Amino acid sequence: MYLGIDLGTSAVKTLLVDGDERVIGEASEALTVQRPQLLWSEQDPESWWAALNRAMRRLRQDHPQDFAAVKALGLSGQMHGAVLLDGQDRVLRPAILWNDGRSGAECALLEERVPNSRQITGNLAMPGFTAPKLLWVQRHEPEIFARVAKVLLPKDYLRLRLSGEYLSDMSDSAGTLWLDVAARAWSPEMVAATGLPLSAMPGLVEGSAPAGIVRADVA
C-alpha cells in the first residue's frame, strides 16, 4: 500500500493506492491564499501541516487496515514557493508562493549580478521563481533575511515535518534559479547573488530516490 501527498495551492490532496495502482481512498483539505498587497500571494506553512493532518486522519478512519499497511509515501506540490526557516526550523514569515509577482525589480538585479544566469539555470529570471523572492526579502525585510538558516520549497517543508530531512528533488529545484542544471547541483554563484550561503540550501536527490524516513512520532 502506498500514500501520495500533493500540496497544491488550493488544497492538500492525499491518495491511498495498492500495489496494483488501484485507488483505495482519497481525501483533500482546502487551503486559502492571502493577498495582503497588490501582486502578493502568500500562505502560512502551518496551514499546510494542519490540512495534511486532517486529510490523513480521514484516510485512516475510512480505511484503517489499508492505511496501516502503507509501506512508502510520495510527495509532490506547488513549485517555486519560498519557506524561510531560522536555525530552529521556525517559519520566519508566510511562504511567498509561485504566483506572487512582487519581485520584478529583483529579477533584473539578479540577471545583472550574474550575466550568465540563463546559461547556468536554463531559465529567464521571473518573479515566480524562488531566488528573486529571497532577494526581495533581503532588500525589503532585512531583519527577517538576517535570520534565514534554510530555504525550502513548499512540499519540502512537509518532508521536513514528516522526516526531519532537508531535501529536495532535481525537478523542483530547477525552478528555483539556484540550480546549475548541467551540473545537477546548487550553483554557488546564483546562491551568493541572493545573499545566501550554500548551507541554506537543502540536499538534492533524484525524484525517484528515497528521501527520508517518516519519524516514528509522526507515523
Side-chain angles (χ1 to χ4, degrees):
M1 203 64 61
Y2 301 95
L3 181 66
I5 297 170
D6 177 52
L7 170 55
T9 312
S10 59
V12 173
K13 300 172 281 289
T14 60
L15 189 68
L16 191 62
V17 298
D18 66 13
D20 296 319
E21 301 182 5
R22 293 176 300 191
V23 174
I24 304 301
E26 55 188 296
S28 65
E29 288 288 330
L31 299 169
T32 58
V33 175
Q34 288 73 54
R35 301 183 182 277
Q37 295 192 42
L38 184 67
L39 299 179
W40 290 28
S41 180
E42 302 181 340
Q43 284 178 331
D44 178 5
E46 190 62 34
S47 70
W48 305 335
W49 182 246
L52 175 60
N53 276 272
R54 291 194 301 271
M56 296 286 251
R57 281 196 295 271
R58 286 172 50 200
L59 272 184
R60 186 176 63 228
Q61 290 167 0
D62 294 345
H63 308 278
Q65 290 184 321
D66 293 318
F67 191 92
V70 167
K71 298 190 293 185
L73 61 86
L75 285 167
S76 64
Q78 46 172 298
M79 295 177 69
H80 314 310
V83 183
L84 279 55
L85 304 177
D86 70 8
Q88 285 73 49
D89 294 338
R90 293 175 299 207
V91 175
L92 292 170
R93 69 170 327 282
I96 305 176
L97 303 189
W98 62 274
N99 55 351
D100 187 286
R102 77 185 75 178
S103 60
E106 285 71 28
C107 290
L109 180 58
L110 190 58
E111 293 203 333
E112 180 182 317
R113 288 181 177 178
V114 187
N116 63 331
S117 64
R118 299 182 185 184
Q119 288 71 43
I120 294 171
T121 67
N123 284 300
L124 306 177
M126 294 184 286
F129 294 133
T130 319
K133 296 173 170 59
L134 267 292
L135 201 51
W136 183 93
V137 174
Q138 182 190 41
R139 298 178 76 199
H140 296 274
E141 298 176 347
E143 70 288 349
I144 290 176
F145 187 85
R147 297 169 59 197
V148 172
K150 276 287 187 295
V151 181
L152 296 179
L153 297 173
K155 79 167 195 323
D156 298 324
Y157 176 72
L158 287 186
R159 187 201 322 278
L160 175 65
R161 296 291 294 264
L162 288 164
S163 70
E165 299 285 351
Y166 306 105
L167 291 169
S168 190
D169 60 282
M170 298 292 178
S171 178
D172 276 9
S173 297
T176 63
L177 286 186
W178 284 316
L179 192 75
D180 182 331
V181 294
R184 302 182 82 74
W186 298 119
S187 164
E189 191 174 10
M190 293 303 299
V191 174
T194 53
L196 292 167
L198 280 173
S199 60
M201 300 293 104
L204 290 168
V205 295
E206 297 294 341
S208 56
I213 298 173
V214 177
R215 293 174 10 219
D217 60 321
V218 175

